[in-house]
Amino acid sequence: MRKPFVIANWKINKNVDEALNFLDAILSQLPDSDRTEVGIAPQAFAIYPMVRSARKTDLQIIGQNAAEKCNGAYTGEISVRDLASMGVNYVMLGHAERRHYFKESNQSINRKILTALREGVKPIVCTNGERKNVGGDNVFSQLENVLAGVPAYQLANITLLFEPTAAIGAGNRANIETAERGCWLLRQEVRRKFGGEVAEHVRILYGGSVNPNNIGLIMAAPNVDGVLIGRASLDAGSFAQMMNYQQTTLSSVI
Ligand code: PEP
């Protein structure tokens, strides 16, 4: 059984005060952690205060990025070892914006993934497809290259993310069929590379224009195990609604 995972990606929004106020607003509404895992990826400087504020809860505070190296002369980078020392369990690696604006390559993302696994922080591995050509070579070559050298048993510590580039930050461009097809194709690729057992267990998330109105339908797709939410996660009320999508979906059925 794959536990649904709902993640807020704040990008470079919210200062420390705003981040802590957001936590005050949502912590009492966290869903049952047996049913849904919830995470927030804030800016790096807000991670520690947020980890402290959320320490008595199951909320995951997630890194948006980390360096290939754990220490040394790499000005401006973020050490995954030091994320781990703060109690961070997950780090996003290879987000589409990292690839686009910071020219991150598959090879560099691969090294980051291997470093994170070595340091005991679970990578959320981002891949991007196109809306019309979901299964285009891009997704598969990204997956193939970023997972090079990762042994099958480590897939238990990896979450995959499928994002159609055109839907990221677009507001209303989520398409449920695209979400399901992208996640399904990734699962087939994991099956081919690592075997059926691994493919059945790996969590695959969808990202791109998720909001309170479409999350229920997206999460009902059989191969979508969670969502990464950008814009719609910035408002506490909207995020609280989305992290409790199971409750909302249930009450609309009853
Ligand atoms: C994202 O941050 O990857 C993202 C999907 O953003 P949005 O939800 O705004 O499309």
Side-chain angles (χ1 to χ4, degrees):
M1 186 60 188
R2 304 184 297 261
K3 190 192 287 189
F5 202 176
V6 176
I7 304 176
N9 175 18
W10 283 352
K11 311 188 185 196
I12 57 168
N13 296 294
K14 295 199 190 294
N15 62 30
V16 174
D17 287 343
E18 289 164 343
L20 295 180
N21 287 339
F22 187 102
L23 283 192
D24 277 349
I26 65 141
L27 283 184
S28 64
Q29 302 175 65
L30 281 175
D32 181 349
S33 60
D34 288 341
R35 296 187 64 193
T36 314
E37 188 164 22
V38 179
I40 298 179
Q43 299 194 71
F45 53 74
I47 290 177
Y48 189 55
M50 288 183 73
V51 167
R52 286 179 64 91
S53 275
R55 69 187 177 281
K56 294 201 175 110
T57 75
D58 292 308
L59 179 70
Q60 299 291 338
I61 306 301
I62 296 173
Q64 292 181 12
N65 178 37
E68 294 175 21
K69 306 284 185 189
C70 287
N71 55 18
Y74 302 98
T75 303
E77 287 285 11
I78 298 158
S79 159
V80 75
R81 182 175 295 164
D82 295 331
L83 287 178
S85 76
M86 290 191 279
V88 169
N89 298 315
Y90 292 97
V91 63
M92 290 162 50
L93 295 173
H95 187 275
E97 287 152 11
R98 301 289 320 165
R99 288 176 178 271
H100 181 69
Y101 295 117
F102 305 101
K103 308 293 171 228
E104 286 194 8
S105 65
N106 287 331
Q107 289 64 32
S108 162
I109 295 160
N110 173 242
R111 287 191 290 270
K112 291 177 177 209
I113 291 169
L114 294 172
T115 303
L117 289 171
R118 211 169 36 242
E119 297 299 322
V121 178
K122 299 174 181 174
I124 297 167
V125 174
C126 311
T127 64
N128 326 115
E130 300 308 323
R131 185 202 276 269
K132 291 211 172 74
N133 186 17
V134 172
D137 296 342
N138 200 27
V139 183
F140 294 147
S141 77
Q142 282 182 10
L143 194 70
E144 178 80 24
N145 286 305
V146 301
L147 294 186
V150 173
Y153 77 88
Q154 283 286 22
L155 267 283
N157 295 316
I158 285 179
T159 301
L160 298 177
L161 170 72
F162 168 74
E163 295 194 303
T165 315
I168 302 174
N172 61 356
R173 286 200 159 184
N175 175 294
I176 286 123
E177 276 157 34
T178 307
E180 167 60 13
R181 183 155 171 77
C183 293
W184 178 80
L185 282 165
L186 277 183
R187 200 175 304 285
Q188 296 311 307
E189 194 59 10
V190 171
R191 192 180 308 278
R192 193 187 62 76
K193 207 168 147 49
F194 297 101
E197 178 80 12
V198 172
E200 265 326 290
H201 287 98
V202 70
R203 278 196 294 195
I204 306 182
L205 317 186
Y206 165 79
S209 301
V210 176
N211 61 44
N213 297 326
N214 61 25
I215 189 168
L217 285 174
I218 290 171
M219 288 303 298
N223 281 288
V224 178
D225 304 319
V227 283
L228 182 78
I229 312 161
R231 193 187 298 218
S233 73
L234 294 173
D235 176 76
S238 151
F239 187 64
Q241 209 180 324
M242 291 187 286
M243 70 188 186
N244 285 298
Y245 77 92
Q246 297 202 56
Q247 217 170 309
T248 318
T249 312
L250 198 64
S251 58
S252 65
V253 170
I254 294 167

